[in-house]
Amino acid sequence: MSDYQKNFKSKKSPYQGGNKRNQKRPSRYNQQDVNVKVGQKFPLTIKRLGINGEGIGYFKRKITFIPGALPGEVVTAKVTKVTDKFLEAKTITVREPSPDRVTPEDPAADLVGGFELAHLAYPAQLAFKKDLIGQALEKFQPKGYENIKVLDTLGMDVPAHYRNKASLPIRKLKGQLTIGLYKRGTHDLVDLPEMATQDPRTLHIIRKLGQILDKHSLSFYNEKSKKGLVKTLIVRTNQAGLAQATIVTTEDRLPDEELIVQDIQKELPEVVGLFQNLHDDSSSLIWGEETWKLWGEDYLQEDILGLTFNFSPRAFLQLNYEQMEKTYEIALAAMDLQPNDKLVDAYAGVGTLGLSMAYKVAEVRGMEIIPEAVEDARLNAEENGIENAHYEVGSADRVFKKWAKDGFKPTALVVDPPRPGLEDDLKRAILKARPSKFVYISCNPSTLARDLADLDSAYKVDYIQPIDMFPQTPRWEGVVKLVLK
């Protein structure tokens, strides 16, 4: 048993969080500069992990964040940032390493994001993610939070190479084609031929696609000059090994389009559809608003829980097929659906969750803000012979309230919101409708705990099942079964 697991069982959490009511107010001394300067070095004992996977210690009573440091370790820290409320530092040496420290599989783990926990043994990663929700519950305190059952995190047998989609910037730096991720805190692109969390097929296709574009002398975006045609390459693969590729560009033209397509057909036969997306501003967003097909199939297909789903390039799908199916199976079991149930699938995406449950209920209704995803959901229902499902374009709160006004009364509800959690209007609508069966799939323990507190006048939590959707990172996923009081 790791130190993390022992700490969790004894309620001595090595993680950031805690009951605000029981925390001492910061002293005036803690708010002062305490004469710490950037570049200063000092020994520091790490007390716990923060929600982003960084080590946390205290220097002269000031909270100090150190990426890569683990609880129990004594490190030599070098200050990189000073503020009134906290310090940021980096590790110079690890004087006393944690027994849970391991060597990351990926050599770039210390350089780029997406590997924040790669130096932490996997059992300890799972314990950390169980504790994250415990700390969030303690902070927001929904009724009965002390007795909420939090199950052990459901992990992977092989927690590597699980990401089925890659969205990577591509640049020409000093004459060399560079495809990868940005160095932490910078816009310096690190070339990554391999990534321990990425399906190797996605990287192979992206790099070969980049070489084809370079062969045809296409220009690549330069962030300083704001010039260049190709910004980002996006590839999604399915479990059968087929792929869908998108070229994100700053203009709607694509020189040598026919020749590029011919080269892809010859050199990347696994690619079944090629698309172009227009992103003509300098924002950090990956996608622009307009996408069109250059060649091939309109959709990439994937089999999920016995159904076949079609995905257009911008449609959402979890990046980890193995853990996604486990999540859906857990959600389906928690719902305990019956033939007379009327199910609402909020934040429906392309219908993967709701359609997987359609055979158990009288009716499924879903909503999604992305029109292309709703089109995909309708097509997926049709192609799987599902006639009791209806999908609409619109925000979950607006559509849910509209249906209620029309007299629709759901008996079951499943929500899978983005990181900000449920909208206030939707929570009020849920409390008014009071469906008896309710499952909440969350990717953010903080907003989940907040929402549970807002819903606790009508619902209590039966259990929370954390699921490790993103090994080697601090990102959290979980399924919550709620019971109507």
Side-chain angles (χ1 to χ4, degrees):
M1 181 181 294
S2 74
D3 288 347
Y4 292 79
Q5 293 164 305
K6 293 175 183 176
N7 282 327
F8 183 81
K9 287 178 178 293
S10 65
K11 302 300 181 182
K12 297 177 181 178
S13 172
Y15 312 117
Q16 184 178 16
N19 184 347
K20 286 188 172 180
R21 298 178 187 175
N22 298 327
Q23 291 176 350
K24 294 181 179 180
R25 296 180 64 184
S27 67
R28 291 177 60 191
Y29 181 74
N30 190 45
Q31 303 301 315
Q32 298 172 355
D33 187 0
V34 295
N35 297 320
V36 180
K37 297 180 179 179
V38 171
Q40 184 173 341
K41 299 178 183 179
F42 49 79
L44 193 70
T45 299
I46 306 303
K47 301 297 185 181
R48 59 186 185 271
L49 284 185
I51 59 174
N52 296 312
E54 71 276 50
I56 292 178
Y58 294 85
F59 181 66
K60 295 185 178 181
R61 300 183 184 179
K62 182 170 284 191
I63 190 168
T64 304
F65 299 96
I66 307 183
L70 297 176
E73 293 186 333
V74 178
V75 304
T76 299
K78 182 178 180 180
V79 178
T80 58
K81 183 176 181 179
V82 178
T83 75
D84 289 342
K85 295 184 178 180
F86 63 88
L87 305 175
E88 292 181 1
K90 64 180 180 180
T91 300
I92 301 301
T93 57
V94 179
R95 297 183 177 189
E96 298 179 20
S98 164
D100 290 317
R101 178 173 285 279
V102 297
T103 300
E105 178 182 340
D106 201 298
D110 294 332
L111 294 176
V112 300
F115 302 92
E116 292 83 0
L117 297 183
H119 59 297
L120 180 61
Y122 193 55
Q125 291 186 33
L126 299 180
F128 165 70
K129 294 183 180 185
K130 178 177 181 177
D131 190 68
L132 277 178
I133 184 59
Q135 294 298 320
L137 292 171
E138 189 176 5
K139 177 181 178 181
F140 289 95
Q141 299 189 358
K143 290 177 184 177
Y145 75 95
E146 308 97 323
N147 299 315
I148 289 177
K149 183 191 301 182
V150 179
L151 305 177
D152 289 339
T153 306
L154 187 62
M156 299 183 70
D157 292 336
V158 181
H161 303 296
Y162 58 85
R163 294 178 67 96
N164 58 53
K165 185 178 181 181
S167 306
L168 301 179
I170 179 169
R171 304 288 183 263
K172 199 73 173 287
L173 303 175
K174 297 181 180 179
Q176 296 295 318
L177 203 61
T178 304
I179 307 172
L181 297 172
Y182 293 113
K183 190 175 180 181
R184 286 197 190 108
T186 76
H187 274 265
D188 299 332
L189 193 62
V190 178
D191 193 49
L192 296 174
E194 299 178 358
M195 294 173 62
T197 57
Q198 196 69 49
D199 184 334
R201 297 173 299 178
T202 61
L203 293 179
H204 164 72
I205 294 169
I206 271 190
R207 298 187 77 83
K208 177 61 71 173
L209 178 57
Q211 292 168 7
I212 291 171
L213 299 179
D214 191 33
K215 168 187 168 183
H216 290 277
S217 301
L218 271 66
S219 63
F220 298 97
Y221 187 69
N222 183 298
E223 289 177 287
K224 291 182 179 180
S225 67
K226 310 297 183 186
K227 295 180 180 180
L229 179 63
V230 180
K231 295 182 78 171
T232 307
L233 301 181
I234 302 170
V235 169
R236 176 168 24 211
T237 57
N238 66 11
Q239 295 179 88
L242 302 177
Q244 181 183 72
T246 303
I247 305 168
V248 180
T249 60
T250 58
E251 301 177 36
D252 59 6
R253 63 186 179 87
L254 192 70
D256 284 358
E257 177 182 326
E258 292 185 3
L259 295 176
I260 289 170
V261 168
Q262 290 176 14
D263 283 347
I264 290 172
Q265 291 172 329
K266 178 180 178 181
E267 300 184 42
L268 291 170
E270 62 268 50
V271 173
V272 296
L274 179 67
F275 296 79
Q276 185 174 353
N277 175 265
L278 178 62
H279 189 316
D280 56 0
D281 62 51
S282 58
S283 74
S284 60
L285 297 175
I286 294 174
W287 290 94
E289 289 300 320
E290 188 177 358
T291 306
W292 59 93
K293 184 177 70 173
L294 299 174
W295 162 82
E297 301 292 335
D298 293 337
Y299 303 97
L300 182 69
Q301 292 190 328
E302 183 59 90
D303 292 334
I304 301 171
L305 298 182
L307 300 178
T308 299
F309 291 91
N310 296 276
F311 295 91
S312 55
R314 292 193 63 190
F316 173 78
L317 178 69
Q318 287 287 7
L319 299 177
N320 187 329
Y321 286 126
E322 177 182 332
Q323 296 297 83
M324 175 188 63
E325 289 206 326
K326 291 178 184 177
T327 300
Y328 288 2
E329 289 169 351
I330 292 167
L332 184 58
M335 293 294 284
D336 189 26
L337 296 168
Q338 300 300 318
N340 61 342
D341 276 321
K342 296 180 179 180
L343 170 68
V344 169
D345 175 15
Y347 312 93
V350 300
T352 49
L353 189 54
L355 294 177
S356 298
M357 298 179 174
Y359 73 99
K360 283 184 169 287
V361 300
E363 180 181 2
V364 174
R365 293 194 183 192
M367 72 285 278
E368 172 61 55
I369 61 173
I370 300 175
E372 297 95 326
V374 173
E375 292 177 10
D376 292 354
R378 292 168 177 167
L379 175 64
N380 290 330
E382 180 182 347
E383 293 204 347
N384 284 285
I386 296 172
E387 299 180 350
N388 62 339
H390 167 77
Y391 288 92
E392 285 191 27
V393 177
S395 63
D397 57 331
R398 183 186 66 80
V399 176
F400 193 93
K401 287 189 297 182
K402 180 177 78 71
W403 289 340
K405 187 177 180 180
D406 294 340
F408 176 71
K409 296 181 179 180
T411 61
L413 171 67
V414 59
V415 299
D416 187 2
R419 289 187 61 79
L422 304 180
E423 297 91 345
D424 289 340
D425 281 353
L426 178 59
K427 284 182 278 190
R428 284 190 284 268
I430 291 170
L431 291 174
K432 186 175 181 180
R434 297 169 69 91
S436 59
K437 300 172 182 180
F438 187 3
V439 165
Y440 189 142
I441 300 174
S442 172
C443 59
N444 186 335
S446 294
T447 54
L448 168 63
R450 178 207 65 198
D451 290 344
L452 294 179
D454 292 341
L455 295 165
D456 64 12
S457 62
Y459 292 93
K460 64 178 181 179
V461 176
D462 189 346
Y463 60 82
I464 299 176
Q465 173 65 74
I467 299 163
D468 191 19
M469 191 71 71
F470 301 98
Q472 320 308 328
T473 82
R475 290 183 62 182
W476 187 90
E477 193 91 12
V479 176
V480 185
K481 179 178 180 179
L482 294 110
V483 179
L484 191 63
K485 291 181 178 180

